[in-house]
Amino acid sequence: PGMSGADLENVVNEAALLAAREDHSMITMEDLERAKDKIVMGAERKIIISDEEKKIIAYHEAGHTMIQELIPEIDNTHMVTIVSRGRALGVTYSLPAEDMYLYARKRCLGDITGLLGGQAAEKIVFDELTSGASNDIERATDLARRMVCDWGMSELGPISLGSKDEEVFLGREIVQSRNHSDQTALKIDQEVRGIIDSCRNRAETLLQQNIDILHAMSNALLEFETLDRDQLDRLFRGEKLEPEEMPEPVSSDEEQRIARADSLSMKGFL
């Protein structure tokens, strides 16, 4: 859900490349999952990071995941990882159940709470704030301002605040005109601040009430680095994750049989 036809084409093409690199005889579901992750979240980056920072990242991503699970109006986490992807040091990826075209006020407040869940976890566990939440804060503030200025979801009521005319050159925000007074601008800032503060307090309360699961999820991230939906469900049920069992070694006869099967099926590949 949420992907266009072109997006799906990119995923399939990337999956074909991954399958070819791994000498697969066909595109598997694992190839498609890895391709989707790369398209949506970016390619994995190999960076050296200290154990302390890795622990902070684990709690940050666990905070996002916890809030997304505890608020029914928003999408649950599909996968969470502390492996660096793109420009992010960790990623919490949610997958909508279906395409959405309208956003209710409860949904918007839930999304803002989820965005602030990472920093809330840092504050609760380490009593410290880091720069890792910069993008979360930017997105949360932008969504809160749109609720106030564009969607009439505040005490100011159903009124459009802010000019839609944008000059097509750099620095357009500086020259944009306002269609409201300084007094109204102050009220807008107060409404945005109220939404952000309320959602931050909600995130901290939810995490405090489920602190044991937060610790368990963070420890699991430090051990496994990536958790899928099935592993997250087990953690929320209070189960302990066990390391995956190593596969049985393949005998030489079995290796020859697999090689013959691969050579035959490769004729239909791509």
Side-chain angles (χ1 to χ4, degrees), residues 1-15 31-42 75 78-79 93-101 103:
M3 283 191 170
S4 65
D7 293 331
L8 294 174
E9 182 181 3
N10 289 336
V11 170
V12 174
N13 287 339
E14 184 64 34
D31 295 326
L32 289 169
E33 285 286 343
R34 290 170 58 198
K36 173 179 64 65
D37 294 341
K38 183 176 180 180
I39 295 297
V40 173
M41 298 182 291
D75 300 321
H78 175 67
M79 187 191 74
Y93 174 51
S94 59
L95 187 66
E98 57 187 5
D99 292 331
M100 291 189 62
Y101 302 98
Y103 291 89

Side-chain angles (χ1 to χ4, degrees), residues 42 118 217 256:
M217 185 176 299
Q256 294 176 5

Side-chain angles (χ1 to χ4, degrees), residues 168-265:
V168 188
F169 58 85
L170 293 177
R172 63 175 183 268
E173 293 181 353
I174 299 176
V175 300
Q176 278 182 347
S177 60
R178 277 191 331 199
N179 61 358
H180 51 78
S181 65
D182 291 339
Q183 190 176 20
T184 302
L186 177 60
K187 292 181 179 179
I188 292 173
D189 290 340
Q190 290 172 343
E191 289 289 335
V192 173
R193 166 55 64 187
I195 291 174
I196 294 296
D197 287 346
S198 174
C199 291
R200 182 189 60 190
N201 293 335
R202 184 185 183 188
E204 291 180 3
T205 300
L206 289 172
L207 293 177
Q208 289 279 19
Q209 293 173 346
N210 298 272
I211 192 67
D212 291 339
I213 300 179
L214 177 66
H215 290 314
M217 185 176 299
S218 301
N219 291 332
L221 278 171
L222 290 171
E223 181 177 356
F224 298 97
E225 293 192 332
T226 298
L227 301 176
D228 59 23
R229 184 65 244 178
D230 178 64
Q231 291 171 312
L232 291 173
D233 287 336
R234 291 169 60 188
L235 284 172
F236 281 112
R237 291 195 299 265
E239 300 177 12
K240 184 177 179 181
L241 300 182
E242 300 293 340
E244 295 183 2
E245 295 183 2
M246 296 297 293
E248 293 289 337
V250 180
S251 64
S252 57
D253 292 340
E254 183 68 10
E255 288 179 347
Q256 294 176 5
R257 187 190 66 78
I258 293 175
R260 287 196 300 270
D262 285 348
S263 63
L264 292 174
S265 59

